[in-house]
Amino acid sequence: MANFVEIKRLSEHVGEEVTVKGWIYNKRSSGKIKFLILRDGTGYLQCIVFKGNVSEEVFELSGNLAQESSVSVKGKVKAEPRAVGGYELDCTDVELIHQSQEYPITPKEHGIEFLIDHRHLWIRSKKQVAILKIRHRIIKAIRDFFDDRGFTLFDPPIITPNAVEGTSTLFETEYFDLGKAYLTQSGQLYAEAGALALGKVYTFGPTFRAEKSKTRRHLTEFWMVEPEVAFYDLNDDMDLAEEFIEYVVQTVLKDMKVELEILERDTTSLEKVIRPFPRVSYTDAVEILKKKGHEFEWGNDFGGADETIVSEEFDRPVLIHRYPAEVKAFYMKRDPEDSSLALAVDMIAPEGYGEIIGGSQREDDLDELLKRIKEHNLPQEFFEWYLDLRRYGSVPHSGFGLGLERTVSWICGLDHLREAIPFPRMIYRNTP
Ligand code: NSS
């Protein structure tokens, strides 16, 4: 056991003298009293340094502590509903661990570029801590959801010999004597092998896209969770996606109230994320666009703006299914009722947050898949192992991918994905 108490556990120590370790978040003084606001990653604590209760040196030190100096404070815990966090420490001692230099991030307003340049320090601020805690809770909810339903976590490789989601956004690297290799865009093809071995699997890890787009919804490195299930068709896939999103959102609402309040998130819209979600076909979605006076030609892919217009028709996430096969990936199964359509589904989040899920039923017929690989000019030799899945006990199977940062961004109500991950990677930024 450590010899200090975390701020979030102070409620168990009311009336006791304890030591708390942390950083000076803020301070003010009023005559014989110094108020130090301490943060330790678990919470915030008001420490009262009263001249009569401490030595001369400690009182002077308390007045000279720079923002973000690290300290160890000792004192008696008092319940104080008006104080930040609900508790107060009546200090008997303050020990300096490290006096901070002038801290670049002050309570004044800073531009976003300045803050991202100082991302390693910016993550100490209250809102960023709240976002990172919610991200963590979302990750845990995702894992719990699949673990509790009998899925096996299945880790795909990150270095791969081929593209999954089209060749235009691949990060390339030289791989010894074997020529070019690429950073994975998606674990899906490997997850399919996993599903045919284990039934229900999910992958969860970083994926990479050399996206030229500078939008607030694109990162070049982002995390994706990808369930894949043997014997599931597109409808089963949509049912799973719906139950999954409901679970994640409702879990965060239940467990992360304090953090959502810090972010001033209006949760009215999130509270409505309850099944069933509306489902519309791509063709009907195009009709919605036209009815609302937007020009759109059947056969094109939806852009972010189109998605938002369609999603505004509904008060919860909407599933758009059966897209023109031309705009979708090679591995998607064609609709047996209309071969110009792919059995694909995207889930669009409300409030303009755009696509959070992309998924499909996979082509399980060997000859059809071979045809697609040729049509897409993909090198068949790299896909032989993937084709084997259609040679040895092929079955219908489906899955989807959820972008973690888009989900965090939506649930937290952020303007941009860059705050949804500790160190964002974007087309124009790979530091700090
Ligand atoms: O390209 S996806 O729509 N689909 C796939 O990668 C499939 N292979 C998934 C599957 O069926 N197993 O990407 C899935 C999600 C998408 O809905 C977004 O939420 C997210 O991944 N995504 C991104 N997030 C952040 N930045 C970028 N650039 C990005 N691209 C996709």
Side-chain angles (χ1 to χ4, degrees), residues 164-165 185-186 188 209 211 217-220 222 224 226-228 331 346 355-360 362 399-406 417:
V164 184
E165 294 297 326
Q185 298 166 310
S186 155
Q188 180 198 317
R209 301 213 183 160
E211 297 270 11
R217 290 184 192 155
H218 289 91
L219 296 170
T220 54
F222 65 97
M224 185 157 41
E226 298 182 85
E228 189 73 32
Y331 53 70
D346 284 355
E355 182 198 317
I356 48 169
I357 280 182
S360 64
R362 322 306 188 187
F400 62 81
L402 170 89
L404 177 63
E405 288 74 18
R406 289 205 189 161
L417 252 51

Side-chain angles (χ1 to χ4, degrees), residues 216-217 304 307-309 311-312 348-355 410 414:
R216 58 206 174 92
R217 290 184 192 155
E307 287 167 359
T308 302
I309 294 162
S311 74
E312 277 165 359
I348 316 299
E351 301 177 85
Y353 281 94
E355 182 198 317
W410 164 43
L414 308 178

Side-chain angles (χ1 to χ4, degrees), residues 25-26 37-39 41 43-45 68 83-85 105 121-134 258-259 261-263:
Y25 192 68
N26 216 333
I37 305 292
L38 207 68
R39 59 160 197 94
Y44 300 83
L45 170 66
E68 285 303 311
V84 50
I105 303 178
L121 302 176
W122 187 25
I123 52 174
R124 299 183 187 190
S125 63
K126 207 172 197 168
K127 285 197 170 172
Q128 299 305 314
V129 167
I131 294 167
L132 293 174
K133 289 198 172 179
I134 292 174
V258 172
E259 286 74 13
E261 251 164 52
I262 290 172
L263 298 174

Side-chain angles (χ1 to χ4, degrees), residues 31-51:
K32 291 185 169 136
I33 307 182
K34 311 268 182 225
F35 299 90
L36 309 175
I37 305 292
L38 207 68
R39 59 160 197 94
D40 74 345
T42 74
Y44 300 83
L45 170 66
Q46 173 156 285
C47 304
I48 312 286
V49 186
F50 180 62
K51 202 169 185 332

